[in-house]
């Protein structure tokens, strides 16, 4: 029961849905600033009037349950965590997520998950085309989450109004799908970018809530996705200079910052860094950094907080930031010297931008699966 209530809160916060199926009494809250009042003062925003009929809202829930029933066999393969507690939940593998998206796509649904192409994306393109033409239109997108949640969002434009209706589902202990949350959300705008990102912005944003959300609609080649996953995923444009500075072996010290090790460690090991007493042993630090960058031990010790007495490096925690820029490989070239040149776009959906940086990132893969970042050339768009 606690797990279900928790997931309702999470789903509603992620999508900024404000109405509940049971009561419909919850209202939006907007944080405003004033020179005369405290900046955290809250003002109540009236609950939006749904552009959907009650029959339509019921049909969205029925369609979501139908989709869930079609996927139950795959969901029930997933691992059930904390089986003996009130917080039992399912975790999907990457393969299970992909199979679920494929299954839904085969049944004609628009479906998506992180790091894979959207199925039946043409329906979203048609919806947006009708929207910019001033026509009433509607499309439903299903999304599969590794956390075991299946959601549907039905976007609609009618008489100049933009809303979506959200349905969130999970599988209970008995293996049956159930709706854990639903409601409407009013939108300020929608945009389909040149590269094919569908970005929607909420009309009202509560404090600490999402600006809205996005889907990558246009397909990305499987090779580009594999290169993104191996070389780019997890790197930051905001916390250190690696992707926002022109560098090579000659000036690599310009990008050396203690906080970058946490991300490089995760790329190397596939695990999160665990630190004792705020220090990282020099052996592992230097092994990883000299593998992944054209740097020497002496350069690392000068730039990254090395303490000779403790033979270790200072740990600097990366501060998470809302809506960070993320990179994706959109093109690539294999060079004669064995290196690869990756064309990487920095995407920032909260600014309605699908390319705020254009990188030429050169990497050198090794036979053992590791690699070295050789250089970077960046153009800010």
């Amino acid at each position: 029961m606690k797990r279900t209530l928790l997931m309702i809160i999470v789903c509603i916060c992620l999508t900024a849905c404000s109405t509940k199926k049971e009561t419909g009494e919850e209202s939006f809250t907007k944080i405003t600033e004033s020179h005369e009042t405290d900046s955290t003062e809250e003002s109540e925003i009236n609950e939006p009037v749904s552009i959907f009929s009650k029959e339509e809202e019921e049909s969205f829930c029925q369609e979501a349950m139908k989709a869930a029933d079609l996927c139950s066999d795959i969901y029930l393969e997933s691992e059930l965590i904390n089986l003996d507690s009130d917080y039992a939940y399912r975790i999907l593998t990457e393969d299970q997520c992909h199979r679920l998206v494929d299954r839904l796509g085969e049944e004609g649904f628009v479906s998506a998950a992180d790091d894979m192409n959207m199925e039946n994306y043409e329906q979203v393109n048609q919806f947006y085309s009708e929207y910019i033409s001033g026509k009433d239109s509607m499309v439903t997108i299903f999304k599969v989450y590794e956390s075991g949640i299946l959601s549907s969002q039905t976007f609609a434009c009618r008489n100049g109004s933009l809303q979506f209706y959200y349905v969130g589902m999970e599988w209970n202990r008995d293996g049956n799908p159930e709706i854990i949350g639903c409601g409407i959300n009013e939108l300020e705008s929608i945009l389909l970018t040149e590269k094919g990102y569908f970005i929607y912005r909420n009309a009202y944003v509560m404090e600490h809530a999402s600006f809205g959300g996005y889907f990558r609609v246009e397909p990305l080649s499987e090779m580009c996705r594999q290169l993104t996953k191996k070389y780019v995923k997890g790197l930051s444009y905001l916390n250190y200079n690696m992707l926002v500075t022109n560098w090579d072996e000659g000036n690599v010290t310009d990008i050396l910052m203690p906080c970058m090790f946490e991300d490089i460690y995760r790329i190397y090991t596939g695990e999160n860094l665990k630190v004792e007493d705020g220090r990282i042993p020099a052996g592992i630090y230097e092994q990883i950094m000299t593998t992944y960058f054209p740097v020497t031990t002496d350069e690392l010790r000068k730039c990254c907080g090395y303490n000779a007495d403790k033979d270790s490096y200072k740990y600097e925690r990366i501060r998470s930031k809302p809506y960070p820029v993320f990179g994706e490989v959109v093109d690539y070239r294999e060079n004669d010297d064995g290196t690869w040149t990756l064309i990487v776009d920095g995407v920032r959906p909260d600014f309605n931008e699908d390319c705020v940086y254009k990188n030429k990132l050169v990497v050198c893969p090794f036979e053992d699966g590791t690699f070295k970042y050789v250089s970077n050339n960046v153009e800010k768009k």
Side-chain angles (χ1 to χ4, degrees):
M1 183 60 158
K2 293 180 180 178
R3 160 71 178 170
T4 300
L5 291 175
L6 175 63
M7 292 313 302
I8 291 175
I9 295 170
V10 171
C11 290
I12 290 175
C13 288
L14 285 174
T15 59
C17 289
S18 67
T19 57
K20 292 184 178 179
K21 181 181 180 184
E22 293 80 7
T23 65
E25 294 176 351
E26 230 176 53
S27 62
F28 283 95
T29 301
K30 184 178 181 181
I31 305 302
T32 60
E33 293 187 5
S34 171
H35 295 292
E36 300 178 356
T37 61
D38 186 89
S39 62
T40 60
E41 181 179 349
E42 297 183 356
S43 60
E44 295 298 320
I45 304 299
N46 292 332
E47 181 182 325
V49 177
S50 177
I51 62 176
F52 305 106
S53 68
K54 292 298 182 182
E55 291 75 17
E56 284 179 315
E57 293 179 359
E58 291 176 1
S59 72
F60 299 150
C61 293
Q62 292 169 0
E63 182 182 49
M65 287 299 295
K66 175 185 175 182
D69 286 335
L70 291 169
C71 297
S72 285
D73 60 321
I74 301 176
Y75 266 95
L76 295 181
E77 295 175 7
S78 62
E79 183 179 4
L80 190 60
I81 307 297
N82 294 334
L83 179 61
D84 297 326
S85 75
D86 292 337
Y87 301 97
Y89 59 96
R90 295 185 181 276
I91 293 292
L92 298 170
T93 65
E94 181 178 332
D95 176 69
Q96 288 166 342
C97 287
H98 283 213
R99 288 164 56 203
L100 286 163
V101 171
D102 289 342
R103 173 75 60 82
L104 290 169
E106 291 168 358
E107 296 295 331
F109 296 108
V110 181
S111 54
D114 290 339
D115 301 324
M116 70 173 297
N117 288 334
M118 176 180 285
E119 293 291 322
N120 299 315
Y121 67 92
E122 299 88 351
Q123 295 180 37
V124 181
N125 288 337
Q126 180 180 351
F127 163 75
Y128 190 75
S129 177
E130 291 172 348
Y131 161 71
I132 61 175
S133 298
K135 300 177 182 178
D136 290 354
S137 191
M138 188 164 63
V139 68
T140 299
I141 303 175
F142 283 85
K143 184 167 184 181
V144 176
Y145 294 89
E146 290 183 359
S147 61
I149 299 295
L150 176 64
S151 73
S152 72
Q153 288 172 264
T154 300
F155 294 87
C157 53
R158 289 178 180 173
N159 299 319
S161 295
L162 283 169
Q163 289 183 356
F164 70 73
Y165 191 87
Y166 168 84
V167 182
M169 292 162 290
E170 70 173 357
W171 274 251
N172 59 30
R173 289 172 176 271
D174 297 327
N176 298 314
E178 58 186 13
I179 293 175
I180 60 172
C182 59
I184 60 167
N185 186 48
E186 192 167 0
L187 297 176
E188 176 185 280
S189 63
I190 58 175
L191 174 69
L192 186 63
T193 69
E194 183 177 350
K195 278 173 51 180
Y197 273 87
F198 179 71
I199 303 171
Y200 58 92
R201 305 187 71 87
N202 296 324
Y204 308 109
V205 180
M206 296 181 288
E207 188 176 25
H208 306 305
S210 170
F211 76 95
Y214 64 91
F215 295 92
R216 197 186 208 289
V217 176
E218 293 296 322
L220 191 63
S221 75
E222 186 59 31
M223 186 61 174
C224 283
R225 288 195 177 276
Q226 291 177 12
L227 293 172
T228 299
K229 182 178 180 180
K230 183 175 180 64
Y231 297 112
V232 178
K233 186 176 181 179
L235 295 178
S236 174
Y237 280 85
L238 302 178
N239 291 307
Y240 40 84
N241 298 328
M242 177 184 170
L243 294 176
V244 296
T245 299
N246 295 329
W247 62 270
D248 56 23
E249 186 175 3
N251 68 332
V252 67
T253 55
D254 291 349
I255 68 167
L256 295 180
M257 301 173 68
C259 65
M260 68 192 301
F261 180 76
E262 186 170 3
D263 285 345
I264 305 304
Y265 178 89
R266 188 183 303 109
I267 289 173
Y268 174 65
T269 66
E271 300 176 353
N272 292 326
L273 177 65
K274 297 179 181 179
V275 177
E276 294 183 5
D277 301 323
R279 310 293 303 183
I280 303 168
I284 186 66
Y285 194 103
E286 292 166 359
Q287 175 195 344
I288 292 176
M289 292 298 286
T290 57
T291 297
Y292 282 84
F293 294 94
V295 297
T296 65
T297 298
D298 287 342
E299 288 171 329
L300 287 173
R301 293 186 175 188
K302 289 177 182 178
C303 299
C304 296
Y306 175 72
N307 184 304
D309 293 335
K310 297 181 179 179
D311 192 29
S312 62
Y313 289 80
K314 179 182 178 182
Y315 168 61
E316 287 191 7
R317 181 186 299 275
I318 289 179
R319 302 296 179 184
S320 62
K321 295 178 173 64
Y323 326 127
V325 181
F326 63 89
E328 63 177 6
V329 176
V330 296
D331 202 357
Y332 56 90
R333 180 178 69 252
E334 188 172 5
N335 304 312
D336 293 339
D337 61 359
T339 63
W340 288 66
T341 298
L342 310 179
I343 307 303
V344 181
D345 286 355
V347 183
R348 189 165 187 182
D350 64 314
F351 275 33
N352 283 355
E353 295 286 352
D354 59 18
C355 184
V356 291
Y357 295 99
K358 176 73 75 172
N359 296 79
K360 290 183 179 179
L361 183 65
V362 178
V363 299
C364 181
F366 302 132
E367 291 184 358
D368 64 358
T370 62
F371 58 89
K372 190 180 296 291
Y373 294 108
V374 178
S375 66
N376 179 65
N377 184 273
V378 60
E379 174 187 354
K380 189 171 183 179
K381 307 297 282 186

